[in-house]
Amino acid sequence: MRSTADRIRHALMFEGLGLAIVVPVGGWAFSLPIHDMGIVAVVSATLATLWTYIFNLAFDKVMQARVGHTRKGLGLRIFHSALFEFGLLLVLMPFLAWYLGITLIQAFWMDIAFALFYLVYAFVYNWLYDIIFPVPGEARAPQS
């Protein structure tokens, strides 16, 4: 298991590096001023963090009430992830449309682009993080 300090380092580095990539690349890709892209990125990250807390708490409470536990098999994890992403899309789209003065359809596509970026980014970041900062005392998995 990772320590609390390691988890904090992981989260701060993840968000910092993610913003350092998203702001200039997103500004370029969507033809937005860096300032606007920076605000969009920071507010989106904040809303995503709040949504993560609210969604997971609500999901676990519903599970606890309905089935008496919070254990999730593969099918329920897929449903949980899909429902989470759909909810995040609904949370972020109105902000993107309002702040940037764009349509909800344009905000939808922008949000999809962010989601795809963060899907790939999270995979690569976590893989590299585990290589650079291995868990103490844990054998390294073969790199394939």
Side-chain angles (χ1 to χ4, degrees):
M1 290 284 292
R2 293 193 177 275
S3 68
T4 299
D6 188 39
R7 291 177 187 278
I8 291 170
R9 174 181 59 197
H10 176 274
L12 292 175
M13 288 175 60
F14 179 86
E15 292 301 335
L17 183 58
L19 289 173
I21 295 169
V22 162
V23 171
V25 173
W28 170 78
F30 296 112
S31 300
L32 293 172
I34 293 295
H35 175 265
D36 286 343
M37 192 63 221
I39 289 174
V40 164
V42 169
V43 171
S44 294
T46 303
L47 289 173
T49 300
L50 291 171
W51 175 245
T52 299
Y53 177 81
I54 292 165
F55 177 81
N56 286 322
L57 179 63
F59 196 92
D60 285 353
K61 285 187 178 279
V62 168
M63 276 193 68
Q64 190 69 42
R66 293 194 75 180
V67 296
H69 61 79
T70 58
R71 291 184 305 277
K72 299 171 189 78
L74 179 62
L76 190 55
R77 285 190 184 280
I78 291 169
F79 175 72
H80 175 269
S81 295
L83 191 60
F84 171 84
E85 289 298 333
F86 178 72
L88 184 58
L89 185 72
L90 293 179
V91 168
L92 290 178
M93 275 181 20
F95 164 71
L96 294 172
W98 167 77
Y99 182 76
L100 297 172
I102 60 177
T103 68
L104 285 173
I105 296 298
Q106 291 169 310
F108 170 80
W109 289 112
M110 182 179 276
D111 201 358
I112 293 296
F114 283 138
L116 290 173
F117 164 77
Y118 272 100
L119 176 69
V120 173
Y121 170 68
F123 177 82
V124 172
Y125 175 87
N126 286 307
W127 185 13
L128 292 173
Y129 189 89
D130 288 344
I131 292 169
I132 296 167
F133 302 106
V135 176
E138 193 171 279
R140 287 173 79 157
Q143 304 300 315
S144 50

